């Protein structure tokens, strides 16, 4: 383990989110970031496994929201998506990648239909100073060809798009800075929340396209997202023509 200011670097860890939660419970400060070269039990949303090959950015940041605004911590997840989007915008520009990253519901970063990054936000509330861990995995230098077969068609990486490598340290610092700029203010101020919604409305690549909506224990359903409401929920039009807002479901683009 090495430490450089607020950054803690690990060679191998089960999951940077687990490590960040452990450190947060022990009193680590908001803004602390755990990064690892490898994860042996990387986790995705809904209990899925997150493939964590070397060359990917694997990081988790501890966020200590103002305790008077804990009712708004769900905003952090959407704001984290925007922070990672802006980090990728900047990385793509530096790597002369012409494609534009976009947002997928509830918290994916996509290039066309392919996933380049995922985010797993977890709240730790059973302690004196409740906090949130934002876990981020970005495919930077790991090549899609080395991923398991079932992920190859649905994933991409900075190296695959730009055909050159990018510094993981620079990607880490850029992403941390974008998170600092937006979070935790987004829970306190309506301006930051409005801006987060604006970016989602502009850059969500699912709007107007057919998706499958799924949640555990419920049969997947075809729908077309039509927008994002003021609470940050995805509005979908289902096959019977009715519109409703979804909050916790997952979406997959019909290819
Ligand atoms: C998803 O798309 O399902 C979310 C993936 C989140 C993966 C990152 S990698 C760093 C951090 N540690 C984890 O165990 N998961 C997150």
């Amino acid at each position: 383990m090495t430490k450089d200011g607020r950054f803690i670097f690990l060679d191998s860890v089960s999951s940077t989110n687990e490590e960040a939660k452990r450190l947060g419970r022990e009193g680590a400060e908001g803004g602390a970031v755990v990064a690892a070269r490898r994860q042996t039990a990387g986790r995705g949303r809904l209990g899925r496994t997150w493939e964590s090959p070397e060359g990917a950015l694997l990081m988790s940041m501890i966020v200590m929201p103002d305790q008077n605004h804990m009712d708004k911590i769900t905003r952090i997840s959407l704001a984290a998506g925007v922070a990672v989007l802006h980090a990728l915008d900047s990385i793509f520009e530096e790597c002369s990648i012409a494609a534009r990253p976009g947002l997928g519901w509830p918290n994916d970063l996509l290039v066309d239909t392919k996933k380049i990054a995922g985010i797993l936000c977890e709240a730790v509330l059973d302690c004196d100073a409740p906090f949130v861990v934002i876990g981020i995995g970005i495919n930077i230098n790991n090549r899609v060809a080395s991923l398991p077969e079932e992920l190859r068609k649905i994933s991409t990486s900075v190296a695959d798009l730009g055909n050159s490598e990018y510094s993981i340290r620079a990607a880490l610092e850029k992403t941390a800075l974008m998170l600092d700029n937006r979070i935790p203010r987004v829970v306190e101020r309506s301006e930051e929340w409005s801006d987060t919604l604006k970016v989602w409305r502009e850059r969500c690549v699912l709007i107007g396209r057919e998706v499958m909506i799924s949640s555990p224990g419920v049969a997947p359903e075809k729908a077309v997202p039509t927008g994002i409401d003021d609470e940050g929920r995805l509005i979908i039009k289902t096959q019977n023509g009715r519109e409703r807002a979804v909050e916790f479901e997952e979406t997959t683009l019909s290819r």
Side-chain angles (χ1 to χ4, degrees), residues 13-19 34 36 39 41-52 56-61 106-109 115 117-122 133-138 250:
V13 69
S14 58
S15 152
T16 55
N17 266 34
E18 289 309 314
E19 186 62 12
V34 179
Q39 294 183 129
R43 292 190 296 108
R45 294 189 304 274
L46 299 180
R48 290 184 297 238
T49 298
W50 181 257
E51 283 299 319
S52 307
L57 171 61
L58 308 165
M59 65 176 281
S60 300
M61 183 188 268
N107 228 337
D108 291 333
L109 282 299
K115 185 154 166 168
I119 301 171
L120 173 64
C121 290
E122 296 183 283
V133 167
I134 305 173
I136 299 168
I138 309 182
E250 292 275 314

